[in-house]
């Protein structure tokens, strides 16, 4: 997920996406993968890559659950903002992250060895970049509780 400061955007709507779309995508993805799995064995290296992916996805999910505590930050990820909205509910975030982790594993399991490693690395980079953005924007810090009319939050 990518985060942007709400002060940089004009006319921000309160659109709240539905997780039904993510559920449909998951079901269709799993249906398309049936019978297409590659015969390359799953290795210890694949498990390490997948574990790193899961860790970065969980950190990304944790950051996204903090958005509602920070009034100047919105969800701006190209996929997450559609399914979760700009100010996501923490429960929806965890369902979304859990779903993406399952789909990511299913796709990784179906890919041949070389493509599998690339798929996992890109997933790690994507979530890791979002975690870095969240940290730079202060999502892991205490939320701003100042009166916005007197002194705006940084």
């Amino acid at each position: 997920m990518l985060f942007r400061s709400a002060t940089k955007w004009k006319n921000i709507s309160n659109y709240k996406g539905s997780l039904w779309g993510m559920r449909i995508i998951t079901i269709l993805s799993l249906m398309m993968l049936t019978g297409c799995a590659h015969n390359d064995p799953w290795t210890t290296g694949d498990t390490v890559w997948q574990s790193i992916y899961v860790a970065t996805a969980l950190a990304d999910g944790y950051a996204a659950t903090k958005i509602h505590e920070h009034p100047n930050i919105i969800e701006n990820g190209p996929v997450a903002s559609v399914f979760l909205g700009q100010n996501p509910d923490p429960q929806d975030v965890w369902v979304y992250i859990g779903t993406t982790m399952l789909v990511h594993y299913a796709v990784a399991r179906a890919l041949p060895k070389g493509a599998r490693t690339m798929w996992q690395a890109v997933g790690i980079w994507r979530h890791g970049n979002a975690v870095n953005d969240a940290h730079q924007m202060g999502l892991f810090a205490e939320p701003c509780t100042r009166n916005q009319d007197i002194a705006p939050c940084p």
Side-chain angles (χ1 to χ4, degrees):
M1 288 177 246
L2 300 173
F3 309 99
R4 298 288 183 253
S5 173
T7 57
K8 295 180 183 177
W9 298 88
K10 295 180 181 177
N11 301 325
I12 296 173
S13 67
N14 290 326
Y15 173 74
K16 177 79 168 110
S18 168
L19 289 180
W20 279 106
M22 183 53 104
R23 291 177 184 134
I24 290 169
I25 289 172
T26 301
I27 291 168
L28 290 175
S29 297
L30 292 174
M31 286 172 49
M32 288 188 295
L33 289 173
T34 304
C36 297
H38 203 273
N39 289 331
D40 286 348
W42 187 266
T43 65
T44 303
D46 295 328
T47 302
V48 170
W49 279 102
Q50 195 64 29
S51 297
I52 295 169
Y53 170 80
V54 167
T56 56
L58 289 173
D60 187 7
Y62 177 75
T65 63
K66 297 296 183 185
I67 292 174
H68 72 281
E69 297 174 4
H70 297 268
N72 293 334
I73 299 175
I74 60 169
E75 173 61 58
N76 197 35
V79 177
S81 62
V82 172
F83 292 112
L84 298 173
Q86 293 177 337
N87 191 5
D89 179 71
Q91 181 179 351
D92 292 344
V93 169
W94 290 121
V95 171
Y96 173 81
I97 290 295
T99 303
T100 59
M101 286 190 299
L102 288 172
V103 170
H104 192 273
Y105 170 74
V107 171
R109 191 73 179 107
L111 291 172
K113 179 66 179 148
R116 179 185 305 153
T117 303
M118 181 61 74
W119 170 255
Q120 291 169 320
V122 168
I124 291 166
W125 176 81
R126 188 173 56 88
H127 286 291
N129 190 40
V131 171
N132 185 48
D133 287 349
H135 175 70
Q136 289 179 353
M137 295 185 79
L139 271 178
F140 297 112
E142 289 297 316
C144 179
T145 57
R146 286 185 253 161
N147 182 337
Q148 296 295 308
D149 296 330
I150 297 171
C153 293

